[in-house]
Amino acid sequence: MQVVHVASEVFPFSRSGGLGDVLGVLPAVQAGLGAEVTVVSPWYADVPGDVTPLWSGALPGVAGQPPLPEVRVGEVRRTGVRFVFVGLACFDRPGLYHPDDVWRFSLFGRAVLPVLAQLGVRPDVLHGHDWQAGLVVAHARLSGVRSVFSVHNLQYQGRWNLMDAMGWTGLPEWAFTHETLEFHGDVNLMKAGLVFSSQVTTVSPTYAREITTPEFGEGLEGLMRHLQGAGRLSGILNGLDQVRWDPATDPDVPLFTDPRGKGAAVAALRSEFGLDGAPILASVSRLAEQKGMDLLIGALPQLVQDWNVVVLGGGDPALEAALREWAAHPRVVFAQGMNEPLAHRIYAGADAFAMPSRFEPCGLSQMIAMRYGTLPVVRATGGLVDTVPADVGFSFAEASVGGLVAACGEARAAFDDPARWQERAARAMRLEFSWDGPAREYLGLYARVLSSAAPAVAGLVEA
């Protein structure tokens, strides 16, 4: 089976969060299971220099469409996967994402299939990831290529003024109705992927149910309910790179294989930041309200009575400023930005891990934390429900400071009973989050897509 993944980021070439992590592992596991796998992503200015240039020039035009700018194409082959990078001038700038991304990813979305054709790659199934790949899925449908579309975070949808964006997409005029790409007067590239794909997946079963409701549907809940009723919406839980995140082999931490050996990592983190003897509650996160980081900050007056609190992350300037102020407290540490070695040391050296997310499509941090015997304190939502057992972590239902404080209090009571805590940590470290199962689920889904008739685009409810 020839599988082509299309995504805006892929670890280790480009990454801002969980999407990049997924594309760094899932394709390799699928290749190991016998699929022929290609991954296509933009050739950002920050992509490492080991990309082999293949060619550059103009792509063949399509009648009635505006011409595409020239592209340059490069590749890297590793772990049995062909990584193809599409270079456009609009991506030749530092960083991944910018305010003009709907325009940039419209150009990218039009370029992907012609680039694949130039390389002689004809996918059996194209697997698009998040809104940046939505337009690729639409063009695949019009070209007769079957597709699967994965929603990693429904909040980000790739919306832009309809009159401007229509000319960027290269799609026929009929594609801009309420039933297709139009959304409250805008073009919506997330909706393009949802409407034109054969199957839609999300990254956890609970999130797949949540996004059919107004609370989590981000205005697309009507469309999601239609897809669910048509048997076109499912949730496949993300896996974890268990080689990259392994306390028995991790070069950044004192090695350990069970909770009894974790003490050296805890002592090292305590020494690194000059913390006292209270247990360590940590968070490694994008600083955003979605992640509930405002709740964590609001809970700090209560938390510092029982915990040292260590936060690594960046994002919302107001949340960063609040954490910088709190860092003057002897029991609060704030490391701004993302630092991979430090993240490993925090996962290994913390006692508990806070994820007070307002919504969480899947989440990887809780899986990583448990792999290192660090017990999660999580809001009961999305993938956190699907991955954190009640006899391992601690959860709370309401997205509030009080809910988080109560769950942390429960965790502290458990910590004060060493035998009880060790039992929980041991269960956490035995949990299995391999990508093998999810990769097989996706391959099975691809096979079903190929054996069934393509769903009609017409008849979708207005979202």
Side-chain angles (χ1 to χ4, degrees):
M1 186 185 296
Q2 176 77 258
V3 178
V4 172
H5 290 273
V6 181
S8 60
E9 55 187 78
V10 51
F11 183 84
F13 308 104
S14 54
R15 179 187 181 276
S16 70
L19 173 62
D21 290 328
V22 169
L23 272 296
V25 185
L26 173 60
V29 177
Q30 290 180 327
L33 293 171
E36 188 172 347
V37 185
T38 302
V39 178
V40 183
S41 66
W43 196 343
Y44 300 104
D46 296 338
V47 168
D50 58 349
V51 178
T52 301
L54 295 180
W55 56 269
S56 62
L59 291 169
V62 177
Q65 293 187 11
L68 274 165
E70 288 198 352
V71 301
R72 60 191 180 103
V73 180
E75 70 171 9
V76 173
R77 294 179 184 256
R78 61 170 67 174
T79 61
V81 177
R82 185 183 194 183
F83 296 92
V84 173
F85 299 92
V86 177
L88 294 157
C90 56
F91 288 101
D92 192 18
R93 60 177 84 158
L96 272 61
Y97 302 121
H98 296 273
D100 59 351
D101 276 347
V102 173
W103 168 66
R104 297 201 307 156
F105 283 100
S106 293
L107 296 181
F108 173 76
R110 291 173 53 207
V112 168
L113 290 178
V115 164
L116 290 173
Q118 290 290 105
L119 298 177
V121 177
R122 172 72 179 182
D124 294 310
V125 174
L126 185 141
H127 189 161
H129 298 266
D130 263 351
W131 75 262
Q132 296 91 345
L135 189 59
V136 186
V137 169
H139 281 290
R141 178 63 176 278
L142 300 182
S143 301
V145 176
R146 299 295 177 88
S147 64
V148 169
F149 183 68
S150 287
V151 177
H152 295 257
N153 190 332
L154 191 60
Q155 187 176 60
Y156 302 101
Q157 298 182 5
R159 293 176 59 179
W160 198 268
N161 175 273
L162 182 69
M163 296 308 296
D164 290 341
M166 282 181 66
W168 302 341
T169 65
L171 293 176
E173 188 173 343
W174 63 261
F176 299 95
T177 67
H178 295 309
E179 290 77 24
T180 49
L181 270 69
E182 191 275 339
F183 186 75
H184 300 292
D186 291 341
V187 158
N188 185 322
L189 296 187
M190 173 71 80
K191 193 178 175 187
L194 299 172
V195 169
F196 284 96
S197 60
S198 297
Q199 285 285 326
V200 174
T201 70
T202 70
V203 289
S204 72
T206 295
Y207 190 58
R209 294 189 294 272
E210 288 177 340
I211 59 178
T212 64
T213 69
E215 182 181 0
F216 298 98
E218 303 291 346
L220 289 167
E221 59 272 9
L223 175 55
M224 291 301 180
R225 287 194 295 272
H226 177 89
L227 294 171
Q228 183 186 57
R232 291 174 55 198
L233 173 64
S234 60
I236 297 177
L237 190 67
N238 280 343
L240 179 68
D241 185 342
Q242 298 191 132
V243 174
R244 179 180 166 201
W245 301 104
D246 186 350
T249 59
D250 191 331
D252 293 311
V253 307
L255 302 182
F256 59 99
T257 57
D258 59 49
R260 292 171 298 178
K262 182 179 168 72
V266 176
L269 188 65
R270 195 182 304 281
S271 175
E272 180 174 354
F273 291 115
L275 301 174
D276 65 22
I280 301 171
L281 175 71
S283 179
V284 178
S285 178
R286 180 166 49 87
L287 301 185
E289 286 195 4
Q290 179 221 320
K291 297 294 186 179
M293 297 308 292
D294 57 316
L295 304 181
L296 180 63
I297 293 168
L300 283 174
Q302 290 82 25
L303 296 180
V304 295
Q305 298 176 32
D306 296 314
W307 301 89
N308 289 294
V309 180
V310 177
V311 178
L312 169 64
D316 187 320
L319 298 177
E320 290 182 354
L323 284 167
R324 281 195 297 271
E325 288 187 19
W326 265 103
H329 192 286
R331 281 191 169 178
V332 178
V333 173
F334 173 48
Q336 187 173 342
M338 293 310 297
N339 179 320
E340 175 104 355
L342 177 56
H344 284 246
R345 298 197 298 275
I346 291 173
Y347 283 117
D351 297 291
F353 193 90
M355 290 186 71
S357 305
R358 284 183 167 81
F359 69 92
E360 192 63 65
C362 178
L364 295 177
S365 290
Q366 79 280 12
M367 300 184 201
I368 298 168
M370 289 187 287
R371 188 141 168 85
Y372 286 77
T374 301
L375 302 188
V377 180
V378 302
R379 177 154 183 261
T381 186
L384 302 178
V385 172
D386 297 326
T387 55
V388 181
D391 61 353
V392 170
F394 309 87
S395 67
F396 59 101
E398 182 184 356
S400 66
V401 169
L404 173 60
V405 169
C408 288
E410 183 185 350
R412 180 58 201 259
F415 182 85
D416 289 338
D417 183 343
R420 180 180 167 197
W421 191 265
Q422 290 280 315
E423 288 174 3
R424 283 179 175 264
R427 284 193 288 267
M429 294 185 72
R430 289 195 296 268
L431 291 172
E432 172 61 45
F433 294 114
S434 165
W435 264 109
D436 184 75
R440 292 179 186 275
E441 284 191 69
Y442 279 117
L443 291 176
L445 183 64
Y446 302 160
R448 292 194 296 276
V449 164
L450 290 172
S451 64
S452 60
V457 174
L460 290 174
V461 299
E462 179 181 348

